[in-house]
Amino acid sequence: MTVVFLSASVPDPARDPAYFDSSDVIAIRDAVRALATVVLPKGRLVWGGHPAITPLIRVVAEGIGATRAESVTLYQSRFFRKDIPADNTAFERVVWTRSARGNRERSLAILRREMLASERFDAGIFVGGMEGVEAEFDLFKQMQPAAAAVPIASTGAAAARIFERNRQQFPAELETNLAYPSLFRGILGSRPGRG
């Protein structure tokens, strides 16, 4: 079974316009839906519950009957316990990580470390996002050195920044290919998986 980590978010223009201005929100949504469609029938998807991303995965997962623990693992920090969207209840396996006494950044750091140490991933896919996606890319590379770490640059924002600073390591199609289902099949098909 192929196990894929997803790091994705839709940039918030109020937090950092530079990420928002370079993002392609439609491409972010399309990429997330396509990844779930490709991974969930035979693999497992793990992600940190961003309120703009979880509903997209929920629609795909419910549509193919893949909301059980063997298909998905959704991580959430207790820091956000009061703001959790109803979409989270669709998933059988939600892992709550501890909050760092009201400190948002430290709480997110705890969540990221626990999530990325939870198992051996075959690949990490990075879509859109802001500084959190960049931080998760760097941490993923450190904690999962044998896994493919793939920024989908065509979605813009943090994924495009990651691609730019490591351009020589990635195929150019990550910047131009919007046929996400076939792109993900190609990326994940080249990974051996475990099953």
Side-chain angles (χ1 to χ4, degrees):
M1 171 184 287
T2 300
V3 182
V4 177
F5 167 66
L6 170 65
S7 176
S9 71
V10 175
D12 180 350
R15 281 190 35 212
D16 190 335
Y19 286 108
F20 179 79
D21 292 345
S22 69
S23 70
D24 182 335
V25 175
I26 292 171
I28 292 169
R29 291 178 180 153
D30 287 349
V32 169
R33 283 191 294 253
L35 183 66
T37 300
V38 169
V39 171
L40 292 179
K42 294 183 179 178
R44 191 148 50 85
L45 191 60
V46 177
W47 77 101
H50 187 279
I53 301 304
T54 299
L56 301 172
I57 297 171
R58 177 185 182 176
V59 168
V60 174
E62 285 182 334
I64 62 173
T67 58
R68 300 184 60 100
E70 63 269 10
S71 298
V72 293
T73 303
L74 166 60
Y75 277 80
Q76 289 284 181
S77 171
R78 291 190 189 283
F79 181 86
F80 300 106
R81 188 83 187 210
K82 293 179 183 175
D83 302 318
I84 296 304
D87 291 290
N88 288 17
T89 62
F91 300 103
E92 186 177 280
R93 187 167 185 209
V94 178
V95 177
W96 290 94
T97 60
R98 68 182 173 83
S99 175
R101 296 187 182 194
N103 183 312
R104 181 183 188 275
E105 292 310 311
R106 284 186 34 222
S107 296
L108 286 171
I110 291 166
L111 176 138
R112 289 178 179 128
R113 284 214 165 266
E114 285 187 28
M115 182 169 54
L116 294 178
S118 65
E119 59 193 289
R120 184 171 60 89
F121 292 97
D122 295 298
I125 304 295
F126 301 83
V127 174
M130 301 194 324
E131 65 279 347
V133 169
E134 292 189 73
E136 287 176 4
F137 178 85
D138 293 338
L139 191 59
F140 185 84
K141 293 281 286 178
Q142 175 191 338
M143 295 180 72
Q144 299 281 336
V150 185
I152 309 302
S154 60
T155 61
R161 287 184 181 197
I162 294 164
F163 180 88
E164 276 303 316
R165 70 175 196 243
N166 301 284
R167 180 178 280 278
Q168 68 286 355
Q169 298 175 17
F170 302 115
E173 74 173 330
L174 296 177
E175 195 171 30
T176 58
N177 188 344
L178 301 177
Y180 295 120
S182 63
L183 178 66
F184 292 132
R185 281 188 203 98
I187 291 167
L188 300 174
S190 65
R191 303 301 298 169
R194 289 187 291 281

